[in-house]
Amino acid sequence: MNRIRRITALVSMLILVLTIASCRSGDQASYDIVIKNGTVYDGSGDEPFKADVGIKGDRIVRIGSVGTASARKVIEAKGLAVAPGFVNMMSWSNETLIEDGNSQSDVRQGVTTQILGEGHSMGPLTPDMKRRMEQRQGDLRYPVTWTTLAEYLGFLEGKGVSQNVASFVGAATVREYAVGLEDREPTPEEMELMRSLVRSAMEAGALGVSTALIYAPGSYAKTGEIVELAKVSAEFGGIYISHLRSEGNALEESVGEFLQIARAARIPAEIYHLKAAGQANWPKMDNVIRMVEEARREGLKITADMYTYTAGSTGLEACIPLWAQSGGSEAMRERFRDPAQRQRILRDMKTPSQEWENFYLLAGSPERILLVGFKKEELKPLQGMTLGEVARMREKDPAEVILDLLSEDESRVGAVYFLMSEDNVRKQIALPWVSFCSDSPSMAPEGSFLKISTHPRAYGSFARLLARYVRDENVIPLQEAVRRLAKLPAENLGLEGRGSLQEGMFADVVVFDPVRIQDRATFEQPHQYSVGVHHVLVNGILVLENGEHTGARPGRALRRGR
């Protein structure tokens, strides 16, 4: 099989070389699309330059002066930036891409590749896991027809998506497969099953193994368990990527654990959505940066990603102590109904601790917790209200209201938490080893998506970087922003042929106006597209033309190193 792949790769490369040579010889008819007169930001971080970009099929075949007399299509880009398509390092579009493969909120910001799988992935699945996945569905409903992660990615590609997709295999998913939802250590046999599941996912092209260590059941994993799974990823050249065990009170200790895993497994590692959560923890960011940069000088390949807001978003379950979540959501709600356990839960919610990530206290106030996603129609009128407002309306303690809402809605209840400092956001953006993400599903202001509210990062994270922090505040220059939106994540993930504007690379291209690009989504009105991106090509096909989606869905399921 490997020999066949090598032969196929050599044949593809030969065809590509001949195609480039033909284009350079002056055969203008060989270009499908020519982007003329743009300012090219090639992803290297070097100074931009004026050039044309010639595209044939799914590849860039010429960067320089390109004739257009016989080109099938010419895009005029005078005054516009031409850049490699952006990589969303952490997307929650697992379900929204099933609902709507156009992925408009991200496409309209120049994103051409979505990276899925934070802690949980869409496979491998047992029959019980499939059943629970279908039971949890809210406004977006779909049958779970796949079992493995590779089958899910193939399902998306076959259904049709406008962007490329790739995924990590989630450590919590393989733990649920082998161990279940309980808070206990795996047996030796279960640990071997978990390793084999990661191995199978890596053989099928997973990017690496991921953890999200504040969420049950992934939070029940000890450090040694994670090391064993990361070692399997390392065998295949994959990476380890983690939502740290704490981004708040135990942030520095959690970074220490993260680096310990990277050293023990001898694996490149990335921190998901780097942040210091909770005002008392904001000063810790300087030491976190020092810890990472010392590890990098030591020779570890450590990187991070982030979104460009001071508020995060997750479920109200993030306010519930982990012991109360053992066994799954129904077991948790049963504990809410037991008077003694309910009082213990409420007491833990109101008691500062380093043992678990308590978003109720990290937010600092019920007024800083915004409710954005309910499953049941009768509760949807609460969307857009703060927890404090709902507590006053119900004349109840805010912590009690959290338990009530989780019970009534029988879901995780989506919420926005205002947790971070603007100074730290700017400080992190300036770091050369940080790339960018939305930590959100791709959406559109239409259909089922309008039944829920959301965090504005779903529509604005990348445009906000280029508008506010690059153009308006000059935190980093545009060429460096493009490098970290495209080349840095593509290289970290092993996405061959992606992330740069070079001859021979895949034609994932964004053409945008650096003067006009702007995020418009707000916390009050999040369902608003960003503006300023004119054209987006994925694998040589226009999916956005003159700011409007073409309906094309040329996205592919990408595998690490292929």
Side-chain angles (χ1 to χ4, degrees):
M1 180 64 70
N2 287 337
R3 184 167 178 267
I4 293 172
R5 286 175 179 161
R6 286 196 295 272
I7 293 172
T8 302
L10 287 171
V11 171
S12 298
M13 185 58 66
L14 177 60
I15 293 171
L16 179 61
V17 169
L18 293 173
T19 300
I20 293 172
S22 171
C23 292
R24 283 183 166 174
S25 71
D27 181 7
Q28 296 171 358
S30 62
Y31 297 115
D32 294 321
I33 296 176
V34 174
I35 302 172
K36 287 290 292 182
N37 303 316
T39 302
V40 172
Y41 294 78
D42 63 7
S44 67
D46 293 339
E47 289 294 320
F49 54 92
K50 298 290 179 65
D52 307 327
V53 178
I55 295 166
K56 180 171 178 60
D58 63 359
R59 300 278 184 158
I60 298 167
V61 294
R62 176 74 171 142
I63 297 179
S65 179
V66 179
T68 62
S70 301
R72 291 185 175 89
K73 187 173 189 63
V74 177
I75 295 173
E76 176 56 55
K78 185 175 182 179
L80 303 177
V82 183
F86 305 151
V87 178
N88 185 346
M89 262 303 299
M90 191 204 142
S91 167
W92 275 109
S93 298
N94 312 54
E95 295 181 310
T96 57
L97 288 174
I98 298 173
E99 175 75 9
D100 180 6
N102 287 344
S103 191
Q104 293 225 46
S105 63
D106 270 26
V107 164
R108 288 170 181 258
Q109 296 181 79
V111 173
T112 57
T113 299
Q114 300 264 21
I115 307 302
L116 311 174
E118 184 213 9
H120 293 263
S121 53
M122 296 297 271
L125 304 173
T126 66
D128 279 347
M129 292 168 72
K130 291 184 180 184
R131 176 181 52 79
R132 286 193 290 270
M133 185 180 290
E134 291 183 345
Q135 286 176 342
R136 287 195 299 266
Q137 292 170 12
D139 296 310
L140 307 184
R141 307 198 66 82
Y142 53 91
V144 181
T145 58
W146 60 88
T147 298
T148 68
L149 177 59
E151 287 170 353
Y152 163 75
L153 293 173
F155 164 77
L156 281 186
E157 185 178 64
K159 183 178 184 297
V161 288
S162 291
Q163 297 157 314
N164 303 310
V165 290
S167 183
F168 290 90
V169 59
T173 302
V174 300
R175 182 177 230 278
E176 183 178 351
Y177 190 107
V179 180
L181 299 171
E182 290 73 31
D183 182 0
R184 66 171 178 84
E185 293 190 33
T187 65
E189 294 77 16
E190 289 167 342
M191 192 67 239
E192 182 52 42
L193 175 57
M194 291 165 67
R195 282 192 290 260
S196 70
L197 291 169
V198 172
R199 186 171 292 110
S200 294
M202 294 302 300
E203 288 172 343
L207 302 172
V209 67
S210 66
T211 57
L213 296 175
I214 74 164
Y215 301 116
S219 55
Y220 303 142
K222 302 292 193 295
T223 304
E225 176 182 323
I226 301 167
V227 169
E228 289 303 306
L229 300 183
K231 284 180 178 178
V232 177
S233 175
E235 292 174 14
F236 293 86
I239 75 171
Y240 170 63
I241 188 166
S242 180
H243 179 148
L244 301 173
R245 204 175 291 275
S246 171
E247 298 170 327
N249 295 347
L251 172 60
E252 292 153 308
E253 295 85 348
S254 296
V255 173
E257 179 191 37
F258 168 81
L259 296 175
Q260 177 187 346
I261 293 166
R263 289 189 183 97
R266 299 174 182 264
I267 191 170
E270 174 143 330
I271 299 171
Y272 271 132
H273 46 57
L274 180 65
K275 67 171 75 71
Q279 187 168 356
N281 300 307
W282 294 349
K284 296 178 180 178
M285 182 52 65
D286 289 338
N287 192 42
V288 167
I289 293 170
R290 180 190 61 78
M291 293 171 71
V292 170
E293 294 190 335
E294 283 184 0
R296 286 169 60 85
R297 285 192 292 271
E298 173 190 327
L300 290 175
K301 188 176 180 183
I302 305 297
T303 52
D305 54 69
M306 66 177 291
Y307 48 82
T308 52
Y309 296 84
T310 57
S313 184
T314 186
L316 283 184
E317 288 178 348
C319 301
I320 306 300
L322 293 173
W323 67 264
Q325 299 184 51
S326 179
S329 297
E330 182 50 44
M332 176 187 69
R333 291 191 290 269
E334 184 62 34
R335 293 184 181 100
F336 293 169
R337 292 188 282 270
D338 178 87
Q341 294 194 77
R342 184 181 183 91
Q343 288 309 306
R344 181 185 170 194
I345 291 167
L346 291 169
R347 185 169 59 251
D348 285 359
M349 289 173 66
K350 297 176 181 180
T351 304
S353 171
Q354 288 196 331
E355 300 303 314
W356 63 288
E357 195 83 327
N358 185 344
F359 275 53
Y360 179 66
L361 293 182
L362 287 175
S365 164
E367 308 306 326
R368 294 173 61 81
I369 301 175
L370 182 69
L371 305 175
V372 296
F374 288 93
K375 178 179 179 179
K376 294 189 175 178
E377 291 296 327
E378 58 267 29
L379 292 172
K380 287 185 181 295
L382 301 181
Q383 291 174 169
M385 298 177 66
T386 69
L387 176 63
E389 288 172 329
V390 175
R392 287 191 294 274
M393 183 179 72
R394 294 189 171 198
E395 298 182 339
K396 295 190 75 171
D397 176 78
E400 291 265 15
V401 171
I402 289 175
L403 273 57
D404 291 345
L405 293 177
L406 287 169
S407 295
E408 293 167 26
D409 203 52
E410 297 181 328
S411 80
R412 62 199 300 265
V413 183
V416 169
Y417 299 84
F418 293 85
L419 300 166
M420 288 81 78
S421 80
E422 187 64 46
D423 286 345
N424 278 344
V425 168
R426 294 189 184 94
K427 191 177 297 182
Q428 294 164 209
I429 288 172
L431 298 169
W433 38 270
V434 170
S435 57
F436 298 93
C437 70
S438 70
D439 190 8
S440 191
S442 60
M443 307 180 81
E446 59 188 40
S448 297
F449 299 124
L450 290 178
K451 294 182 180 180
I452 60 170
S453 187
T454 189
H455 190 301
R457 65 191 183 187
Y459 287 86
S461 195
F462 307 95
R464 183 177 176 85
L465 170 71
L466 296 173
R468 178 170 183 168
Y469 297 106
V470 173
R471 181 187 63 222
D472 299 343
E473 298 186 7
N474 299 307
V475 176
I476 54 173
L478 181 54
Q479 60 265 31
E480 173 64 3
V482 170
R483 181 185 76 84
R484 293 203 271 125
L485 285 164
K487 186 175 183 179
L488 176 64
E491 287 184 341
N492 290 343
L493 297 169
L495 300 180
E496 293 187 3
R498 313 278 173 179
S500 298
L501 287 190
Q502 296 179 32
E503 294 176 2
M505 301 289 278
F506 287 102
D508 296 343
V509 185
V510 54
V511 181
F512 65 96
D513 186 341
V515 176
R516 288 192 60 251
I517 194 164
Q518 187 66 56
D519 59 302
R520 288 184 168 175
T522 66
F523 290 100
E524 296 76 21
Q525 294 183 306
H527 288 290
Q528 298 188 80
Y529 288 135
S530 295
V531 296
V533 173
H534 289 222
H535 311 284
V536 175
L537 292 89
V538 176
N539 298 313
I541 303 296
L542 275 165
V543 297
L544 195 76
E545 185 173 12
N546 297 315
E548 296 298 328
H549 204 289
T550 66
R553 296 183 174 184
R556 298 173 183 170
L558 305 183
R559 277 83 176 176
R560 184 176 182 88
R562 302 181 202 169

